Amino acid sequence: GKWAFRNGGPYPGANDLYAVLKAHTPDSLRYYLTDTWEKIVFYDNKVIDAKIVPERSGSGYRVHLQIKVRKMEYDEKRQERELTDMNDIVDIGVYSKPSGKGTPQLIRLHSARFSAGEHIIDLKVDQQPSFVEIYPGRKLLDVRGDDNRKDMILTSSPPR
């Protein structure tokens, strides 16, 4: 193929992979590729509050979240610089309670672009959720992973 007769051997390396990824990454996601290949970037995202309220109709639940998102870049001297111009896609997973010793089920995945700072999010789900988690699957490197998840307690009455 493409790499068969080039100098340095017939096998592609990391730079070749990066060139292919760049060629096939849409402009809207180019920041993620740059952050993960060319820079040292960490996030400090946190679920501040998570509440569930039953819908008045009795059909489904409203999930009310307060989150904080933050992004930092580290230079070669390990100096941290906060990236206040952040406009990154962050995933939030809403999970149902497992039955018995089962695995929690993802009942809603909310992906949206967030600027740095605090945000209020309202989501509707069909099942009663148990907890929420920022970026399930650990797609982003977070300096504190222990504050990315929050259990939810059902409030006693629907909104008025």
Side-chain angles (χ1 to χ4, degrees), residues 145-160:
D146 61 346
D147 60 2
N148 297 348
R149 177 182 160 155
K150 195 160 194 73
D151 291 335
M152 291 185 282
I153 299 168
L154 182 64
T155 60
S156 57
S157 60
R160 298 179 184 201

Side-chain angles (χ1 to χ4, degrees), residues 8-70:
Y11 305 107
N15 290 338
D16 300 307
L17 174 60
Y18 186 53
V20 171
L21 290 172
K22 270 174 99 170
H24 291 86
T25 300
D27 290 344
S28 62
L29 297 175
R30 189 67 56 92
Y31 79 90
Y32 183 75
L33 195 62
T34 302
D35 287 352
T36 55
W37 282 76
E38 296 179 24
K39 299 178 181 180
I40 302 170
V41 171
F42 286 90
Y43 293 81
D44 184 14
N45 297 337
K46 176 181 184 178
V47 179
I48 297 169
D49 195 25
K51 292 185 175 76
I52 37 177
V53 180
E55 291 285 7
R56 245 185 292 206
S57 64
S59 169
Y61 299 85
R62 196 176 78 230
V63 177
H64 182 77
L65 304 173
Q66 182 181 6
I67 67 167
K68 182 174 184 180
V69 295
R70 193 171 159 246

Side-chain angles (χ1 to χ4, degrees), residues 15-159:
N15 290 338
D16 300 307
L17 174 60
Y18 186 53
V20 171
L21 290 172
K22 270 174 99 170
H24 291 86
T25 300
D27 290 344
S28 62
L29 297 175
R30 189 67 56 92
Y31 79 90
Y32 183 75
L33 195 62
T34 302
D35 287 352
T36 55
W37 282 76
E38 296 179 24
K39 299 178 181 180
I40 302 170
V41 171
F42 286 90
Y43 293 81
D44 184 14
N45 297 337
K46 176 181 184 178
V47 179
I48 297 169
D49 195 25
K51 292 185 175 76
I52 37 177
V53 180
E55 291 285 7
R56 245 185 292 206
S57 64
S59 169
Y61 299 85
R62 196 176 78 230
V63 177
H64 182 77
L65 304 173
Q66 182 181 6
I67 67 167
K68 182 174 184 180
V69 295
R70 193 171 159 246
K71 181 178 177 181
M72 294 89 53
E73 180 180 3
Y74 291 86
D75 64 19
E76 60 279 349
K77 295 178 184 174
R78 295 187 176 183
Q79 297 297 312
E80 176 185 305
R81 181 173 68 95
E82 188 155 354
L83 300 174
T84 55
D85 60 346
M86 160 181 187
N87 182 30
D88 293 16
I89 295 171
V90 176
D91 293 342
I92 299 167
V94 181
Y95 291 83
S96 68
K97 193 171 194 167
S99 57
K101 293 184 180 180
T103 306
Q105 295 298 307
L106 179 66
I107 56 176
R108 172 94 191 255
L109 182 65
H110 177 73
S111 293
R113 286 193 177 267
F114 290 95
S115 58
E118 291 189 14
H119 300 274
I120 301 291
I121 303 152
D122 282 299
L123 304 171
K124 186 168 191 263
V125 293
D126 295 333
Q127 306 173 45
Q128 181 175 334
S130 173
F131 67 92
V132 295
E133 185 176 22
I134 297 177
Y135 43 85
R138 304 281 183 232
K139 291 179 210 139
L140 306 177
L141 295 175
D142 198 302
V143 292
R144 281 195 59 178
D146 61 346
D147 60 2
N148 297 348
R149 177 182 160 155
K150 195 160 194 73
D151 291 335
M152 291 185 282
I153 299 168
L154 182 64
T155 60
S156 57
S157 60

Side-chain angles (χ1 to χ4, degrees), residues 1-12 16:
K2 181 176 179 178
W3 291 281
F5 299 104
R6 66 181 205 162
N7 288 338
Y11 305 107
D16 300 307

